Amino acid sequence: MRQVSSGDRDDLALVLDLVRDAFAYMDDRIDPPSSVHRLTIDELASPPGEVWVIGSPPVACMVATPRTDVLYLGKMAVRSVLRGEGYSRRLVEQADRRAREIGLTWLELEARIELVENHRTFEALGFEALGFEEVGRTAHPGFSSPTSVTFRRRVAS
């Protein structure tokens, strides 16, 4: 696992391609459309988010962004042919280490309401689950009902 620096535009371009490819299955399932369609290399390169990848070229990635008391995990993606191979677990373990290094208490991520298979992956129950618990639901601007589920997990001590 390695962190991609903001100056490595070639790697960031590969990360952007990976995220877009990994999120493509959502296009006909979620409303509003994913922000991944507007994501740019410049946004990936901008602090405070840190881009972490597995592989060269990247086969899994996440953007870890420190917030008040949480490390927010965004744009978590695994190459579709490699899903179920433990890459998400490795990303979360890295996020856990990073959160401890910078003194944060929680890991947090969001999943769209419609993507229940992702909810099961993140939740606390089950052998392969990642240990997150649902802590809230939010609606995108202009929507009256929830569009996203927020999950949190306490950082290991």
Side-chain angles (χ1 to χ4, degrees), residues 13 18 40 54 57 61 63 85 90 96 99 102 108 115 139 153:
L18 169 62
T40 66
I54 300 172
C61 66
V63 178
E85 301 290 326
R90 289 176 57 195
D96 198 85
I102 59 179
E108 185 175 274
L115 305 178
R153 168 182 154 165

Side-chain angles (χ1 to χ4, degrees), residues 72 107-112 118-120 122-124 132-136 149-153:
Y72 180 79
L107 300 180
E108 185 175 274
L109 53 82
E110 292 179 340
R112 290 300 188 90
N118 291 358
H119 303 183
R120 285 191 297 271
F122 300 139
E123 287 174 338
F132 287 82
E133 294 181 11
E134 181 179 333
V135 296
V149 179
T150 303
F151 294 92
R152 274 195 176 181
R153 168 182 154 165

